[in-house]
Structure formats: structure tokens, C-alpha cells
Amino acid sequence: MNRNISIYEAIGGAEVLRSIVESFYPKVKEHPLLGPLFPEDIDPVIERQYQFLTQFFGGPSLYSDEHGHPMMRARHLPFPITPERAEAWLDCMRRALEEIGIEPELRTFILDRLSGPAHHFINTTE
């Protein structure tokens, strides 16, 4: 990946990021470890994830503009995040990136970038 451009630019911007998020959440909802953590109406979650990833990947600060500082660890504390759930989340994202057709090198870079936060949210082993 060209290190002089953001992930947001490298994937193709808003439209591709929206496709990734929309591919990702059905996988999350179907996953036996992750699905129960999410509300029935997942549309607001999808929108917040789109906003956050836009900002996290170097695009416009959509999340902060609407919700303030991300404080993602604090926002995830009410949910039991285990190491297995973190890995399941990353696997759902890997599958979404593959489905959308993100090239392997960029896909690996994105997953590496998301791995730190995913593991930082772990707050229980049960």
C-alpha cells in the first residue's frame, strides 16, 4: 500500500467503505458469538460504524462531528468482549473485505490496523 495516502483513499472513499460496512454487519449478526450483542435494529450501529471507520481510516471526521470523541473502549465496556469475540469480529471484517474485493495487501494492512483496537476492547475472558 502507498503509505502516502490514507486507507480511506486507498480503498476508494465513501462508496467502498459503505459497501464494506454493509457487507460486514450481516456476517456479525449471523455469528453465534457476536450476533447476540447487537440490537435487532442494527441500522444505527451500521451508520455509527461507517462514520467511525471513515474517520479512523483517514477520511472526514464524521463520527466526532456527530458523537464527540470516539472513546471506543469506554463505549464497548457494557458488552462482554472476549478474545474470541475480538477474533470473530476481525474474521467478519476479513470476509467483508474479501467479498468487496479489497486487494490482499491492502486487506492485510486494514486488518492489522483494526487488530489493535479490537484486542484493546477485550474486557473479559468469559
Side-chain angles (χ1 to χ4, degrees):
M1 182 179 131
N2 179 344
R3 307 282 187 216
N4 296 323
I5 65 170
S6 67
I7 292 172
Y8 183 78
E9 293 168 306
I11 63 171
E15 186 176 328
V16 175
L17 185 54
R18 175 73 66 188
S19 295
I20 291 168
V21 172
E22 289 177 356
S23 171
F24 171 72
Y25 272 100
K27 293 164 183 41
V28 167
K29 286 289 283 185
E30 293 168 1
H31 197 286
L33 290 176
L34 301 176
L37 298 177
F38 288 87
E40 189 63 35
D41 179 11
I42 201 161
D43 289 343
V45 176
I46 291 171
E47 188 57 28
R48 283 190 305 273
Q49 177 76 300
Y50 168 75
Q51 292 170 336
F52 175 75
L53 288 178
T54 295
Q55 183 169 324
F56 186 73
F57 288 161
S61 58
L62 302 179
Y63 190 93
S64 292
D65 291 350
E66 185 167 334
H67 306 285
H69 189 282
M71 302 182 305
M72 296 312 285
R73 180 159 167 72
R75 293 181 196 272
H76 286 82
L77 279 175
F79 306 100
I81 311 291
T82 62
E84 295 80 14
R85 284 187 172 125
E87 287 301 318
W89 189 95
L90 288 166
D91 185 61
C92 289
M93 182 59 73
R94 178 192 56 76
R95 291 175 23 229
L97 294 169
E98 287 175 1
E99 184 175 295
I100 297 306
I102 301 299
E103 65 181 55
E105 181 184 0
L106 182 55
R107 192 167 59 230
T108 298
F109 186 79
I110 290 169
L111 290 169
D112 286 347
R113 181 82 166 87
L114 291 172
S115 182
H119 288 102
H120 182 67
F121 297 162
I122 293 170
N123 58 26
T124 186
T125 57
E126 301 175 19

